[in-house]
Amino acid sequence: MDKFLITMFLLVSMLMACSPRQEQRMVQEESETIEDVTESDTTLQEGEIRSGMLYVYVCGYVKNPGVYALPQGSRICDALALAGGVDELAKPEVLHQAQLVQDGQTIYVPSQQEIAVSSDDEDDLININEAGKELLMTLPGIGASKAELIINYRNEHGSFQRIEELMDIPGIKEGLFEKIKDSIKVS
């Protein structure tokens, strides 16, 4: 009987050590969120989103790429800070760092070399006829799937003659176009 109790105690201890609550607490501590995390805040059911929190993927030329939880109202500069900042090869000035983050957003920090290849020296506009997926993802509202749609459309229909042609792509409507039109060009 004593062996049974000891075995049960060890089993329960192991399960508690590996619980999602413990893993979430560790993620919160690693990402150094501003808010204090209470025990009730860390308990999430599968598919549940914690009220008031946004989750963004920060990647590219940052020190610690990964998924970070941010309070609503956070900005891209806050996400970059959680990722440990940018590395020495980054070109963070192409990002609109004061822009509010959106839940599920990918924030890609390009390198100086990537920008040099896809932009003219006299401006920081992204050439949608030459930009790769990662560079397109630096545009507001353009994630991985929309960047792929742009590249696929470009491959199937040839180079864009006007930036307005982006609205011919399913999923890119006038509202999204208005957000990016001042950041793009064709050549």
Side-chain angles (χ1 to χ4, degrees):
M1 186 66 169
D2 289 343
K3 285 185 179 182
F4 176 76
L5 289 175
I6 291 171
T7 304
M8 290 304 292
F9 175 78
L10 290 174
L11 182 60
V12 169
S13 296
M14 287 180 3
L15 288 174
M16 289 180 67
C18 297
S19 72
R21 180 185 312 186
Q22 180 68 21
E23 289 172 0
Q24 289 170 348
R25 186 177 297 125
M26 289 169 53
V27 168
Q28 288 295 331
E29 289 170 1
E30 286 176 14
S31 65
E32 299 175 306
T33 56
I34 299 169
E35 298 178 357
D36 288 335
V37 179
T38 64
E39 194 163 1
S40 63
D41 286 337
T42 62
T43 305
L44 295 177
Q45 300 300 317
E46 186 173 325
E48 178 184 6
I49 296 175
R50 184 181 11 229
S51 175
M53 297 301 283
L54 304 171
Y55 295 86
V56 297
Y57 176 52
V58 183
C59 58
Y61 290 82
V62 294
K63 293 182 181 172
N64 302 305
V67 175
Y68 293 95
L70 296 152
Q72 286 200 15
S74 296
R75 304 197 179 268
I76 288 179
C77 60
D78 301 324
L80 294 177
L82 287 177
V86 298
D87 74 16
E88 63 276 352
L89 299 176
K91 182 132 175 128
E93 53 272 10
V94 300
L95 297 175
H96 302 288
Q97 292 189 40
Q99 181 182 12
L100 292 171
V101 297
Q102 299 173 2
D103 189 47
Q105 181 178 0
T106 296
I107 301 170
Y108 178 81
V109 179
S111 71
Q112 296 167 10
Q113 185 177 10
E114 286 175 306
I115 299 301
V117 168
S118 297
S119 296
D120 289 337
D121 290 337
E122 69 253 11
D123 62 37
D124 281 333
L125 299 179
I126 294 174
N127 185 340
I128 59 173
N129 284 326
E130 297 174 358
K133 177 179 173 181
E134 290 81 13
L135 187 57
L136 289 169
M137 289 170 48
T138 65
L139 294 167
I142 302 293
S145 61
K146 282 194 175 56
E148 288 176 8
L149 287 172
I150 293 170
I151 292 169
N152 291 340
Y153 187 89
R154 183 175 71 199
N155 291 339
E156 291 174 16
H157 297 92
S159 295
F160 293 97
Q161 301 303 308
R162 302 171 319 154
I163 61 172
E164 292 81 7
E165 289 178 46
L166 280 178
M167 291 186 287
D168 294 340
I169 299 173
I172 300 180
K173 304 283 185 229
E174 189 173 345
L176 178 56
F177 178 75
E178 288 296 318
K179 289 181 182 179
I180 65 174
K181 72 178 184 179
D182 294 330
S183 301
I184 59 175
K185 68 177 181 179
V186 296
S187 61

